Amino acid sequence: MNILILGGDGYLGWPTAMRLSSLGHDVLAVDNYLRRRICRETSSEPLYEVPDLAERAELWQSISGRRVKVSIGDLSDWAYVEQIFTAFRPDAVVHYAEQPSAPYSMMDREAAALTLQNNLGSTFNLIHAVRQFAPECHIVKLGTMGEYGTPNIDIEEGWLDVEHKGRKQRFLYPRQAGSLYHTTKVMDTDLLWFYVRAWGIRVTDLMQGPVYGVETSESAGDLRLYPFLNYDEIFGTVINRFIVQAVAGHPLTVFGKGGQTRGFLNIKDTMNCICLAIETPPEPGELRIFNQFTETFSVRQLAAIVERVGQSLGLNVRTESVANPRVEAEEHYYSPAHTGLVELGLKPHPLTDDVVAGMIRTVQRFQDRIDPSKFLRGVQWR
Ligand SMILES: NC(=O)c1ccc[n+]([C@@H]2O[C@H](COP(=O)([O-])OP(=O)(O)OC[C@H]3O[C@@H](n4cnc5c(N)ncnc54)[C@H](O)[C@@H]3O)[C@@H](O)[C@H]2O)c1
């Protein structure tokens, strides 16, 4: 297949490019280095340097013999998107190209405006390009479990059957996001659902939980092929952040009570979920939604796991509760369904002690580069 990866330089985009090219697909990775730019501007650089997209593609070709094509440009610019779609008619598009940091989106007006315009702009252009240049193309869109928020009822897989005054209707499951970034993902879903109904495009929307880890089968221990590992408050997701704090001898910073519960997955499972979605496209006119995570943990439970494994490796790890900068429930009910991807064949990689120990060992190789001032940056929701 011809597969376009939007956001191909990113944490998930680059490993996906390697995976799909190793499966023999013709892959074009597109990015405008927005993430690298924001990391520089906010002093949130990743733990180690990551070669640019062209350098990684060259490296990958020299190792695997497979070519990932690369194009650098802004997907919120219609002229650029038009040019990409006329030169490379995709059978599937994996859409990662968004500003993905919740704290960044809450920093100030400029950051919020960038997040809103960039995320909605890229999704809108993608939908129009598919209709105009590749109407059969399957859009695989990365959403987030954060779209649902933390309702006091079970979270279904995308949809809710409602019975009201004796009549029934199926609706998108109610969404109530906890940051501006997450709200842009809700708006993405609404845009896609509208155009699925209006134009009959085919879409898979993956409600993904926070991802951890950096190694996939393609990188196989070669650090030059690893994606970004951010451990700061702006781009670092919680497990990656705790691992780096443990290695640095810094307390694991739990926000408030730590009962905040989410669905998590290993980056290896993200790769497998994307492949499963691509291999089984929905029908035209279908918006298919999967909840993409494998296990749920509270932040307190995650801290306890990292503390236990860190101590078993001789690290001095302890946990500290810090004032919660976010507006969120610190204790809540959480019961989300997640059977769709397992039914398609997903075999989850659980967060075992060995997995945590492996991540700690990777981070220890870069111990000298850890800057503890990045752990807490004081981005306040209010
Ligand atoms: N990483 C996670 O834990 C996680 C969890 C749930 C959902 N997601 C979603 O998955 C997607 C990818 O996440 P990630 O962690 O890889 O983020 P990332 O920031 O590393 O990757 C996104 C990439 O898209 C690029 N990009 C953004 N806007 C662009 C534009 N207008 N034109 C061209 N390129 C653009 C960025 O430069 C970046 O390289 C995001 O949409 C995010 O919302 C991620």
Side-chain angles (χ1 to χ4, degrees):
M1 290 166 84
N2 277 3
I3 304 182
L4 196 51
I5 301 179
L6 309 183
D9 186 52
Y11 170 58
L12 301 176
W14 172 246
T16 306
M18 290 193 291
R19 168 62 55 89
L20 293 172
S21 98
S22 77
L23 292 173
H25 298 295
D26 194 356
V27 175
L28 171 61
V30 177
D31 209 290
N32 66 345
Y33 296 139
L34 176 70
R35 176 172 177 140
R36 290 177 189 257
R37 194 190 97 200
I38 297 177
C39 284
R40 265 196 316 276
E41 288 173 358
T42 57
S43 298
S44 308
E45 286 86 359
L47 183 61
Y48 42 78
E49 302 226 351
V50 170
D52 71 24
L53 201 41
E55 290 165 339
R56 290 154 119 185
E58 227 167 83
L59 195 58
W60 171 242
Q61 190 167 5
S62 70
I63 291 168
S64 69
R66 308 233 179 224
R67 175 150 180 252
V68 168
K69 295 175 190 145
V70 167
S71 176
I72 303 302
D74 183 354
L75 293 155
S76 62
D77 169 6
W78 173 248
Y80 176 68
V81 174
E82 208 176 9
Q83 178 203 318
I84 290 288
F85 268 77
T86 43
F88 184 88
R89 305 254 169 185
D91 300 303
V93 179
V94 184
H95 178 21
Y96 290 124
E98 305 216 343
Q99 189 302 100
S101 160
Y104 179 76
S105 75
M106 301 300 290
M107 238 166 60
D108 53 31
R109 201 202 69 83
E110 283 72 23
L114 182 153
T115 305
L116 185 71
Q117 285 153 13
N118 184 69
N119 294 3
L120 270 294
S122 62
T123 302
F124 178 80
N125 281 346
L126 166 61
I127 293 168
H128 279 259
V130 163
R131 184 191 192 203
Q132 215 167 311
F133 304 110
E136 291 302 312
C137 172
H138 173 199
I139 297 176
V140 179
K141 166 76 178 65
L142 265 288
T144 154
M145 285 299 292
E147 292 183 35
Y148 301 122
T150 54
N152 199 31
I153 58 170
D154 289 3
I155 296 172
E156 302 303 330
E157 210 144 1
W159 304 92
L160 187 67
D161 294 316
V162 176
E163 194 171 338
H164 182 63
K165 296 184 178 171
R167 302 180 72 80
K168 289 182 186 164
Q169 172 75 44
R170 197 166 187 240
F171 292 100
L172 278 176
Y173 188 94
R175 270 120 166 112
Q176 38 188 6
S179 76
L180 190 268
Y181 151 68
H182 290 100
T183 301
T184 65
K185 307 296 274 191
V186 175
M187 294 166 158
D188 274 342
T189 298
D190 271 332
L191 263 187
L192 290 164
W193 179 214
F194 169 68
Y195 283 114
V196 162
R197 297 194 313 272
W199 290 346
I201 56 175
R202 56 173 105 209
V203 178
T204 300
D205 202 355
L206 298 168
M207 301 296 128
Q208 185 175 239
V211 181
Y212 57 86
V214 282
E215 183 160 323
T216 57
S217 37
E218 289 70 33
S219 56
D222 188 336
L223 293 166
R224 298 168 304 168
L225 292 173
Y226 279 16
F228 307 116
L229 178 60
N230 280 84
Y231 60 95
D232 60 280
E233 185 184 323
I234 296 175
F235 276 101
T237 48
V238 61
I239 300 182
N240 291 351
R241 202 165 66 224
F242 281 171
I243 300 273
V244 177
Q245 289 178 330
V247 171
H250 189 282
L252 312 186
T253 50
V254 168
F255 291 169
K257 294 183 186 146
Q260 302 91 320
T261 304
R262 305 287 185 266
F264 293 85
L265 74 164
N266 192 308
I267 193 167
K268 293 178 177 163
D269 288 328
T270 297
M271 298 304 109
N272 293 337
C273 291
I274 297 291
C275 291
L276 287 168
I278 289 174
E279 283 160 16
T280 59
E283 293 300 317
E286 186 185 349
L287 170 62
R288 180 177 60 163
I289 301 178
F290 293 125
N291 292 345
Q292 183 167 309
F293 67 93
T294 58
E295 297 171 282
T296 60
F297 297 101
S298 69
V299 172
R300 213 166 35 223
Q301 285 173 320
L302 290 174
I305 294 170
V306 174
E307 198 173 312
R308 187 186 67 239
V309 178
Q311 283 172 356
S312 76
L313 295 174
L315 297 175
N316 176 21
V317 192
R318 63 194 175 85
T319 299
E320 191 175 276
S321 167
V322 298
N324 193 344
R326 304 181 175 206
V327 176
E328 63 183 0
E330 293 178 5
E331 301 285 359
H332 56 87
Y333 180 76
Y334 199 63
S335 178
H338 59 120
T339 52
L341 286 158
V342 173
E343 279 161 15
L344 281 188
L346 179 69
K347 305 259 183 303
H349 293 77
L351 184 67
T352 59
D353 287 8
D354 279 351
V355 169
V356 175
M359 288 173 66
I360 289 177
R361 282 192 209 97
T362 300
V363 169
Q364 281 175 321
R365 300 170 71 167
F366 302 98
Q367 190 158 359
D368 299 348
R369 294 180 55 102
I370 301 172
D371 174 358
S373 72
K374 290 186 163 63
F375 289 138
L376 288 176
R377 301 291 299 277
V379 179
Q380 298 288 328
W381 257 230
R382 283 192 206 280

